[in-house]
Amino acid sequence: MNPYLRDLADWRTRAVFLRNAQVYLRNWRTAFLPPALEPVVSLLAFGIGLGAYVGAMKWHGQSVDYISYMAPGLVAQTVFATPFFETLYSSYVRMFYQKTWDGLLATQVELRHIVWAEITWASARGVLNATVVCAVLATANALGIVHVHAAWLVALPLIGFFVGWCFAAFGLCFTAIVPSIDHMNFPVFLVGVPLGLISNTYFPIDAHQGWLAAAMHANPIYHLAELYRSMLLGNAPDAHVWWLLGTSVGWLLVFATAAQALVQRRVLAQ
Amino acid sequence: MSEILVARGLIKSFGDKRVVDGLDLDLGTGSVLGLLGPNGAGKTTTLRMLYGFVEPDAGDIRYDGQLLRAHRDELKGWIGVCTQHDTLDHDFSVEQNLRVYASYFRPKLADLDRRVAELLDAFGLREFAKQPPRQLSGGFQRRLMIARSIVHQPRVLFLDEPTTGLDPAARVDVWRLVAQLRAQGMAIVLTTHYMDEAERLSDAITVLARGKAVARGTPREILGEVLGEHVAVLDVADVDEVALRAWAQARTGNQPARVLEEWQIPLSASQLAAFSETFAHCRFTVRQPTLDDLFLRLAVEPTAPEAA
């Protein structure tokens, strides 16, 4: 069996994942608030506020109001940002401040299981938060604020799981190398924010060639946002499905390998 | 007494620095091995290699004859670890800490409820079972750390400075718990800075300095072997430092240790007689050596005192 799949399926990865899940369930009321409120604020501020000035947009030949254009991007942004921030901040706190990993490493759990459990849990949190965002969008749709094919909202969070996995592993790479938690500003503002901006989440970028087009096509968030948009606005899913699959799995393999090596170096070389 | 843990030729370096340098250790079932040494001696790294946290660069670690690196998954289930730093899961209650920690071991305990109840009672944690560990005193947090480290019924327990930072009453509590575990047949490796703790709890002691074992045996054997039978104590104002240092270097091969306003010089019986003659004009007292003197020796000497 592939060592990644073996470690992923190992009972120790499951035990650490369940530990994180248990902590989340203890604090679910506070954990629930950001994903529930952020889309409400975004819909009000950008969708209704800014949308009034933007008016209708052209997307794949159809006329779409800005708030409905933005709605799928909100879900894509949540699916990407939640795992990225989870492994940047929460994993760092567990690793450095709470010494949770030190306690785990004194058991039968190995560091590779902790790494897989952290990125899988982070991705699961992305799915959970995206589910809350979808519930908000369903409500907004029922109220006539956005106009989307609401039935697809059920499927969006799970479709994003691989993208979340990929960016959770990416975040953990930084967690393994930053000198202190203050240095997280570098990956957040130099990597996370630009990636979110060049992914058609909140506004379309008309790039068909050059470095920007290449960067967008290599970015799974772009394909996820476009796939979500085609599902919610009634277009048939196109090549973005395959691009999404390829970039997510490809980057996951790269980042997970790097995260394993970097975390090993940081934690075990003390 | 059968050997449950045997380590041979352990070497570990971090970068250019060799932290553990060719260390051998033996631990029998139902016995306590004390690892002593000043800060930076290699105690914690040794412990971390023994319980599988870090891989040695060279050397073998065997549990009951089985190589740790070859049977790692199984053998780590034999081991309990109480780390030096607080690694309690403060997101959970006292009782949940025991339950969640048990989930990190296989095979699963047949009756986890009974085991958790047993530990809560044995370690006096019953009344705090539903509280988060942060609300406990330092002594009770340490109790919980030890209770948690044996929830899966290990055969070997590692205690890394288990009483550091505790008040005297809490230290005695921990000593009592360690003695109980030893009486139940558990093999224990203990690191400590406290000589009284090592003397009270350990069947044998290995003293580390700069990654090497510089002395082994019972506390009394080690003190006699490394330091001699006596320690002369002089007021710094009563003696010429240059003369004292020169004499000590020439006659004992070591430098005296300065502790606040005192000079302390470990001496054999014959060295004490010579010292009395040379420094007859000085007032000094003589006492038995302690492990404090050994620590001071190891801390001030640039070379290991193996030749002493």
Side-chain angles (χ1 to χ4, degrees), chain A residues 203-238:
Chain A
F203 54 87
I205 297 174
D206 194 16
H208 300 290
Q209 52 191 5
W211 68 268
L212 185 57
M216 286 175 71
H217 275 82
N219 179 3
I221 315 166
Y222 163 66
H223 302 294
L224 186 70
E226 284 300 298
L227 176 64
Y228 280 177
R229 198 161 282 126
S230 63
M231 292 167 76
L232 291 187
L233 299 183
N235 279 33
D238 51 19

Side-chain angles (χ1 to χ4, degrees), chain A residues 139-155:
Chain A
T139 308
N141 192 60
L143 294 172
I145 300 170
V146 297
H147 305 94
V148 296
H149 291 255
W152 281 115
L153 287 170
V154 179

Side-chain angles (χ1 to χ4, degrees), chain A residues 12 19 26 107-108 110, chain B residues 72-73 76 89 91 106:
Chain A
R12 289 166 284 196
R19 180 248 165 232
R26 284 173 63 86
T107 69
Q108 283 176 304
E110 304 285 357
Chain B
R72 188 178 168 84
D73 285 354
K76 281 188 81 179
D89 216 326
D91 290 309
R106 291 292 184 275

Side-chain angles (χ1 to χ4, degrees), chain B residues 132-200:
Chain B
R134 222 178 284 286
Q135 290 181 6
L136 306 185
S137 67
F140 276 90
Q141 285 193 27
R142 186 56 62 169
R143 284 184 186 207
L144 176 57
M145 287 273 289
I146 298 174
R148 195 183 68 159
S149 66
I150 59 167
V151 68
H152 59 296
Q153 299 175 315
R155 295 172 66 179
V156 181
L157 176 62
F158 292 96
L159 297 170
D160 194 2
E161 299 186 15
T163 62
T164 299
L166 298 187
D167 65 37
R171 285 182 69 203
V172 172
D173 270 352
V174 171
W175 291 352
R176 198 173 294 130
L177 292 171
V178 173
Q180 280 172 15
L181 294 173
R182 177 178 176 271
Q184 290 164 13
M186 192 171 287
I188 298 171
V189 182
L190 170 88
T191 71
T192 181
H193 284 303
Y194 303 122
M195 81 303 302
D196 55 338
E197 185 164 291
E199 282 181 299
R200 280 169 198 271

Side-chain angles (χ1 to χ4, degrees), chain B residues 22-40:
Chain B
L23 188 64
D24 297 339
L25 290 173
D26 297 273
L27 176 67
T29 304
S31 69
V32 179
L33 170 66
L35 280 183
L36 271 86
N39 287 334

